[in-house]
Structure formats: C-alpha cells, structure tokens
Amino acid sequence: MAKRVAIVGTGQTFHKSHRPDVNGQELINEAVRRALADADLKMKDIDAIVIGNMDHFEGINYVDCWSVDGSGATMKPIIKLTTGGTTGCTVAIGGYHLVGSGMFDRVLIIGWEKNSESDTTGAITTAFDPVWDRLVFAGAISGLAAEAQAYIARYGASERDGARVSVRDRKHAMNNPHAQLRKEVTLDEVLASPMLADPIHLLDVCPRSDGACAVIMASEDVAEKICPKPDWIWATASRHSYSYLGDADYGRLTSMREGSQELWKKAGIKEPRKELDVIELYQPYSFGGLIWIEDMGIVGPGEAPRYIWDGNTDMGGELPINPSGGVIATNPIGATGLIRCAEAAMQVMGKAEGRQVPDVNFAFSSGFGGCWWTDMILHGKKKPK
Amino acid sequence: MTDQFQGIEPMVYKSKINVPYSWWAGDTASKFYLTLRDEKKITATKCVACNKVFLPPRKVCPSCFTENTQWVNVSDEGTLITFTIARRQFAAIPSDRKVPVIWGLIKLDGADTAMLHYLDEIKPESVTIGMRVKAVFSEGRKGNIRDISHFKPVSRV
Ligand SMILES: [Zn+2]
C-alpha cells in the first residue's frame, strides 16, 4: 500500500546565535506556524508529528511530550527520532516512511535546537564510546581535522582549497534572510583566522545556532490538492557506519558513497553531476565540501578542488551547492538536516526567493553526524514513477 | 531583538545536572584491558570468517556478524593513518594534556582497524602520515585505554 510522498510546505525561524526572547516550545512554534501557513493548512489537518533534536543539548529527554504546546501535537500521535547530527534528516526520512506507509496522509516534521542553552562539547562527547574513545578524545573538530588531513595527504589538496568552499558558502548566505552569519569573507581572511586543529581554521567551521525548522509531507492522495507544485521525495538513504573512531576510512566518507549509490540506483540517475540541479549539503566544515561531493560521485577522487575553483558550485554555476549558505552560516544541530531538506524542497517548488536556482528538476539534501554518518534525500519536481 | 523585551528583563534559569554513570566494559573489553594492565600487551579479536583483526576487540564481527572467539596479539608498533594538532584547549581534551595536543589514528601491525590515541615526544611540525610509531605504556596502569600513555616515533637505528 506504499504511497508516493511529497513536501507541501516548509517553515523556519530566523536563526540566531541566541534567542533569549523565546523558550524551546515557542521557538518550535514559530517554525510550525510558518510551515502551516506555507501549505495553507490548519493544525487540525495534521495527522501525526515527528520531532527531533540532539540528545543532551537542552537537557530534556522527553522532547516529544514537553514540546506539545509549540508543536501542536496535543492528543495527536507524535514520535521523537534523534540520531545526533543526522537528526534533522532522519526526522524527514521518518516522516516519509509514515506517509509512504499509507497510514497517515499529512505529517508534520520538526527539527529544532537551542544550542545556546547547552554545553556543546559535553553533549557532543556523549556521541563517542565512553570506554574506548572518550578518554583519548580531542573534540569533534579534531575528528573532522583528521579527515581533512588524510584527504590533503592523499590527493595533494591544500588549506586554500578548503577556504574556497567557506568563501562560497558565506557569500551564498548573503541571499538568505534566515541565515545566522551573513558576512562575506575573503580567502585570506579564512586562512588568517585562528587555527583550531590543523588544517581547520576558525572560519572553516560552522557556528552554534538557535533555530527550528518544520516540513509538512503529504501522500499522493492529497498532496496536489494542498500544493499544486509539491516537492516529490524520490528516494532516501541512511548509513551509520562505525562504532569506534578508528574504524573509519579517513579521507573518504564511506557512508556518503554507499548511501548516494543507493539513491542514484533507486531514482535511475546515471550522471549525478548532470542530472542534479542543486545540492544542500550538511557540511559543517569546509573540507567536507570537497571530500563528500567526490564520494557522491559528482566528480572523481581528488577532482573537487579544481571543480570548485572553476565556479561550478557557485550560484550561476553548473551545480550550485548550498544556496542557503549551508551549515557554515547556520547550525541549530537538530534542525540543520531538516533545513537542508526544506531548502531543497523550496528550490524544487520555486519558493527559494533570492537564493532560487533556475529550473530545478532534481535536488539533493543530506545530514551528517557524530562522525561519519550520512542520511540523504533526493527531491524532484516530477512525480516519481 | 533589542526591542522585543520592551523593558522586560529576560529571565535565565541556570542549572547543572550531576549524572553519574558506571560503564561496564564487558568481558571482551575487560580481557583486553587486563592484558594491557598486567602484561603490557595489546590484543585484538579476529573474525575467522572475514580474516580481519579488530582493535578495539569485538565480541561479534561488525562486518559479517560472526562471533569472534579468536584472540591475537598485535604489535605495539604501527603506522600513523592520519592525525591533527589541536591548537585550542578544547573542553573534551583531558586536563593533563596541554595544547598543542597531537591526536592520531594508528594502525598497529597485525590489526585491520586503527586505534585512536595521542602522539608525543615529537614536534607537531615533524608529524607525517605514514610515519612509524610505538606505544609508550603508563607507569601506574589502571586497566583503561590510558594505560598506553601515548605513541612516540620509532627511532631509526
Ligand atoms: Zn566477519
């Protein structure tokens, strides 16, 4: 009884480093109201809710129950899904499964975070094994730095190549009124910013944000009645690949490679570089923007720096990446993956305003988490076969 | 945002939750840590189906789900797979290690997966991927991963 599923509305907050004017439920409510308004639906039309955030960030473990004042889930089915950094993409995949099952016609999906309320390092440390990894840990940034270092050694890339990605995303953020950091930087400014963990400079990485995002998915029975040009979900994939930090193949993102191969196969995509029109990548640091698009098969191993220097991923290029400014401009962790999904949906629906890429047929959005996990969604203008 | 409060003082409730945990390592990890503490030997489990040696040792092979019962010794020397140098005293870094902290993934000879640990007795600028390193064991060993103090470069004779 599987149903085809489409996104019929999206909403998000104006993301900030700190939102002292609202509590968590109120922050969630802003995104929910905007998504309902976008779809022209009322809360009574929603059949079920999926919500998620990063464990430990706000210190509230029953978020599904606690948030009902904001989410509108009072006396409705609601489930919480939380998978660390991938949470925002996982909630979208969970919503897709609920609607696809044929059991719910209209599902509201919420990702949120008030990162300003927490001890980020303390919370992120809980994502690593207590007996093996935590005692010799050096922070999440060090894990990313080790990936970048291995990539640089393997393919002869440089710190400048990473900086170019950061310059791109920060420029794109200028077009997005919802982005937290809206300030262009130069290559030299990135390279002159303090070194956090070699080869990662301060301006190579994402900020911490307060923000929420909501997406409404509908089954094929009702989707086009709600929204004449919905964003159809073509395929999803999810890969969580390791237990201990030493298990990963540093310099390559295996979960991205295997997940995207599944995605292309499901959708019949032969040449992702030519068939995709826009990418919203969960890319919390600049070097991920090089390594991971190679694992997606956009370009071959070691070819990303040249491809990016040539402007192909800038607005107006062959395949724009992160028109929203991406994660480097805004990172309310539990919302971040869902913002990627919402932004990709807006591109397909033609609602991306100042950051719209023309004539989007296929869009890709992803989530990245912990270390080396990847979730992903393929969005399309046409109804899947 | 400044006009949103219109004279209302934003109230903040500061709190801290003390959550003690006791993590039992289990019999597989315990065997590893006892051997490390008492014999200064690094051991691993081997999947007889995949012929792969896992460090940290696994009770069940993560690739094929076979139960691993075969223990093997691995060398205390290995190759540096990748590394970084933490330049800031990130809160996750144990307080007894001061920046710059060199943090590496080391594939010990005989193992198929890498081990996460610190590098020391070397200048940060001298560290290279592919270099040979050797475990330095701690004096007062307690049966945890820091019974290995750090890894140091293998001196060329
Ligand atoms: Zn096996």
Side-chain angles (χ1 to χ4, degrees), chain A residues 34-310:
Chain A
R34 289 191 180 120
L36 288 169
D38 188 41
D40 200 16
L41 290 174
K42 299 274 182 263
M43 199 61 220
K44 65 174 171 51
D45 301 318
I46 299 297
D47 303 317
I49 293 104
V50 183
I51 192 166
N53 65 317
M54 176 103 174
D55 282 330
H56 290 279
F57 263 64
E58 292 77 14
I60 295 155
N61 270 346
Y62 59 114
V63 153
D64 40 347
C65 307
W66 166 85
S67 64
V68 294
D69 281 2
S71 67
T74 310
M75 297 309 286
K76 285 183 191 282
I78 179 166
I79 54 170
K80 179 180 82 166
L81 294 176
T82 174
T83 60
T86 39
T87 293
C89 194
T90 302
V91 288
I93 293 173
Y96 167 67
H97 291 165
L98 289 181
V99 178
S101 75
M103 298 179 77
F104 301 94
D105 273 337
R106 287 164 292 261
V107 171
L108 171 66
I109 297 139
I110 303 163
W112 72 284
E113 213 74 77
K114 277 197 92 180
N115 211 336
S116 66
E117 297 188 345
S118 64
D119 170 6
T120 301
T121 300
I124 286 182
T125 301
T126 64
F128 297 88
D129 186 88
V131 173
W132 292 99
D133 287 350
R134 279 187 215 175
L135 295 173
V136 286
F137 194 47
I141 288 175
S142 298
L144 297 173
E147 179 190 47
Q149 198 84 279
Y151 175 80
I152 286 172
R154 208 182 289 187
Y155 300 105
S158 73
E159 287 177 20
R160 289 176 61 82
D161 299 332
R164 175 63 176 80
V165 176
S166 185
V167 167
R168 177 197 71 199
D169 285 2
R170 290 170 194 277
K171 183 167 197 276
H172 288 180
M174 301 299 287
N175 298 327
N176 179 5
H178 292 274
Q180 176 190 333
L181 300 178
R182 300 180 70 199
K183 187 173 183 295
E184 279 195 64
V185 298
T186 65
L187 208 61
D188 290 339
E189 284 168 338
V190 178
L191 295 170
S193 65
M195 186 70 91
L196 300 178
D198 302 37
I200 298 180
H201 295 265
L202 181 65
L203 289 177
D204 283 312
V205 297
C206 56
R208 308 181 343 150
S209 317
D210 286 358
C213 182
V215 165
I216 299 169
M217 289 187 187
S219 82
E220 58 185 303
D221 297 340
V222 298
E224 283 156 309
K225 287 177 207 143
I226 299 168
C227 176
K229 287 184 187 168
D231 166 46
W232 293 100
I233 307 294
W234 274 66
T236 69
S238 185
R239 290 289 189 282
H240 290 202
S241 64
Y242 90 108
S243 284
Y244 306 108
L245 280 169
D247 293 354
D249 176 14
Y250 281 77
R252 294 263 57 105
L253 188 58
T254 311
S255 58
M256 175 64 94
R257 188 189 64 224
E258 297 209 354
S260 52
Q261 280 171 0
E262 179 189 330
L263 218 57
W264 310 149
K265 194 172 171 212
K266 280 177 173 171
I269 284 184
K270 302 266 186 304
E271 290 181 277
R273 174 176 169 175
K274 292 194 179 133
E275 293 174 71
L276 296 185
D277 301 298
V278 62
I279 291 170
E280 275 287 341
L281 191 65
Y282 192 128
Q283 176 215 295
Y285 83 123
S286 62
F287 293 89
L290 303 168
I291 304 166
W292 305 345
I293 67 165
E294 296 174 6
D295 292 309
M296 285 174 67
I298 302 297
V299 290
E303 291 174 6
R306 183 75 267 151
Y307 186 64
I308 284 166
W309 279 107
D310 287 345

Side-chain angles (χ1 to χ4, degrees), chain B residues 47 49-50 54 61 63-66:
Chain B
C47 173
C50 299
F54 293 99
C61 173
S63 301
C64 75
F65 241 54
T66 301

